[in-house]
Amino acid sequence: MNDEPALRRELALTLLGDLDNLIERLADDICAHSSRYASGTPVTHEDLHRTLRGNMEIALREFGRIPDGERLFEAVAAENGRLRAEQDMPLATVLQAYRRGGRVLWQAMADWMRDRSPDQQHMVGDMAGAVWETIDRFSSAMADAYRLRMLELQHREASRRGALFEALLDGRAGDPAVAGAAATALGVPRQDRYAVVVIAQDAHDAVSPPDPAPALEGWGLWSFWRPRADTVAGLVRLRAADPAELAEALRGQRVGRAGISPPFGELAAAAQGLRLAQRALDTLPPRSGEVASLDDRLVHAALGAEPEIAERLIVRYLDGVLDSGAERDVLLGTLRTWLDSGCSASGTATRMFCHRNTILNRIGRVAELTGWPADSGEARLGWALALRALERDH
């Protein structure tokens, strides 16, 4: 019996008859070369032995062209690949186990061939090629199924994370079960220091929203982002970072116009964070590319929430200046700088590169046109609020 097919069949049947010992040798070899398999987690030793038995039996049948081998070959490999993907076993570790299996199988075949006739021993090279071809085919089928299943699992997990993130933003995290599930899915604690960011889609394609996550990771900030209508909303884990650092990081990525909520301590407050971040965003001029936290835009946000009040502020405190014709822009600019300079004529003059008396004359003119005395605390507050309201309208 010197023909290769017959010899392969005899060899396969011999090893199938000693399968228990072959499985023990293979399991010991795999565990000796892999701490993951040796630990019994996530693949238990019973699972490993069961899988090795099924794989080795089908591989030997395939090698020996024994009936049922061809029919089951791809299915068994694919099933094994899907299982290891679901167990989150690294593919490289699984492929290494297959290579160890090939070595043990070939060693057992070589031991058997050593006692064969010289004519049969000449076929060792062809037999070796057949063994590794079988292992390669099995490994490829397993790896293809593993990758496909991993993609399916990643897509499912991404969908689940997205759904739970939306539950946070929609205010459903008041239910402890929802908050707990969201924290687990996102991989963050329920209690920490967080902020919500809302980025406007002024200058971006809505189907390709910005993803600041990689850049924020460089700042030590975990984040999760999802597109929502005309915006992109993000949850950022601040930890000890200041919102100003977050704003700086976002500006560096040129994400466009963005509002940042005040920090909050529980995931359950994410819905409120979304509302406040949106309020901050709404205070920024369209297509301005500015990034601001709500705490830096509180006056603007308050005025924006009550447009009728804002309009009345403008009328009551600035109406005369707004109707002053050619003086208007100069008076408004001077008043704004004067208020920002702590109502100091000297400080305003320095910033505007003009004489102190010029500033005093202009502020006096504002007082005359508006009917409010410049030394009145109420007038100064009213002028400041009216100017902010005017900025919001323009």
Side-chain angles (χ1 to χ4, degrees):
M1 186 176 60
N2 294 332
D3 61 299
E4 183 187 343
L7 188 63
R8 286 169 60 170
R9 179 181 177 83
E10 181 184 357
L11 174 54
L13 289 172
T14 299
L15 293 179
L16 283 169
D18 193 33
L19 194 58
D20 287 343
N21 289 331
L22 190 61
I23 296 305
E24 286 300 325
R25 287 172 55 188
L26 178 53
D28 291 343
D29 185 82
I30 289 174
C31 290
H33 290 85
S34 171
S35 59
R36 294 292 294 269
Y37 278 108
S39 70
T41 304
V43 180
T44 66
H45 295 301
E46 293 77 8
D47 182 3
L48 176 61
H49 278 73
R50 182 172 56 254
T51 304
L52 290 178
R53 176 174 293 277
N55 290 353
M56 189 62 75
E57 183 175 359
I58 203 69
L60 287 170
R61 286 183 174 276
E62 168 70 11
F63 172 79
R65 298 293 189 268
I66 299 171
D68 290 338
E70 183 68 28
R71 181 172 61 84
L72 296 174
F73 185 82
E74 302 291 341
V76 170
E79 180 183 358
N80 193 20
R82 288 190 292 269
L83 175 62
R84 294 297 179 252
E86 291 168 0
Q87 294 172 326
D88 200 25
M89 194 71 167
L91 180 58
T93 302
V94 182
L95 288 172
Q96 181 189 48
Y98 273 68
R99 289 193 293 272
R100 301 309 307 177
R103 290 173 63 89
V104 169
L105 180 59
W106 170 240
Q107 185 61 54
M109 291 181 173
D111 291 343
W112 184 82
M113 289 289 292
R114 193 174 296 117
D115 296 331
R116 310 304 293 181
S117 67
D119 289 340
Q120 292 178 334
Q121 289 183 11
H122 284 308
M123 295 185 235
V124 167
D126 292 336
M127 300 283 277
V131 168
W132 287 108
E133 179 184 357
T134 300
I135 297 299
D136 286 345
R137 284 182 58 202
F138 207 95
S139 298
S140 296
M142 181 279 299
D144 288 344
Y146 179 102
R147 294 187 183 98
L148 180 59
R149 183 57 177 157
M150 189 61 73
L151 286 174
E152 293 172 349
L153 293 172
Q154 289 171 351
H155 177 73
R156 180 185 300 175
E157 180 60 21
S159 297
R160 182 170 180 271
R161 293 179 78 197
L164 287 167
F165 181 66
E166 289 297 327
L168 290 179
L169 299 186
D170 289 344
R172 286 177 277 161
D175 182 343
V178 174
T184 300
L186 296 174
V188 293
R190 290 175 59 178
Q191 296 183 334
D192 205 328
R193 195 161 172 269
Y194 295 99
V196 171
V197 179
V198 177
I199 301 175
Q201 291 297 285
D202 294 334
H204 298 281
D205 183 350
V207 300
S208 302
D211 182 8
L216 293 185
E217 286 181 7
W219 288 69
L221 300 173
W222 172 93
S223 62
F224 185 82
W225 302 84
R226 292 277 290 184
R228 307 183 96 235
D230 296 329
T231 64
V232 175
L235 176 69
V236 182
R237 188 180 181 190
L238 291 173
R239 293 188 171 180
D242 190 274
E245 296 178 62
L246 174 57
E248 182 180 352
L250 292 171
R251 290 189 195 99
Q253 291 304 300
R254 301 184 182 277
V255 298
R257 191 164 57 105
I260 304 172
S261 76
F264 52 90
E266 295 192 9
L267 286 181
Q272 181 184 30
L274 176 67
R275 291 193 297 273
L276 296 179
Q278 185 66 56
R279 292 283 292 276
L281 176 64
D282 290 342
T283 69
L284 301 174
R287 291 173 294 281
S288 64
E290 295 182 32
V291 178
S293 63
L294 180 66
D295 286 344
D296 294 331
R297 307 283 295 181
L298 286 174
V299 172
H300 301 77
L303 293 172
E306 297 290 346
E308 296 86 357
I309 299 298
E311 184 62 32
R312 291 306 305 161
L313 280 169
I314 294 172
V315 171
R316 180 165 175 76
Y317 290 97
L318 290 178
D319 201 31
V321 175
L322 296 178
D323 292 335
S324 62
E327 295 180 279
R328 169 185 164 133
D329 291 343
V330 172
L331 294 179
L332 287 175
T334 302
L335 178 61
R336 184 178 295 107
T337 306
W338 182 69
L339 290 169
D340 289 343
S341 301
C343 302
S344 166
S346 299
T348 306
T350 300
R351 292 175 64 178
M352 298 190 71
F353 306 101
C354 60
H355 196 277
R356 177 177 181 275
N357 288 340
T358 301
I359 301 301
L360 291 174
N361 290 334
R362 291 176 184 174
I363 297 301
R365 179 63 173 151
V366 170
E368 176 186 348
L369 290 171
T370 61
W372 289 95
D375 58 357
S376 165
E378 181 181 350
R380 294 176 180 183
L381 175 61
W383 286 337
L385 291 175
L387 285 170
R388 294 297 185 270
L390 194 64
E391 291 174 2
R392 182 188 62 84
D393 287 346
H394 296 82

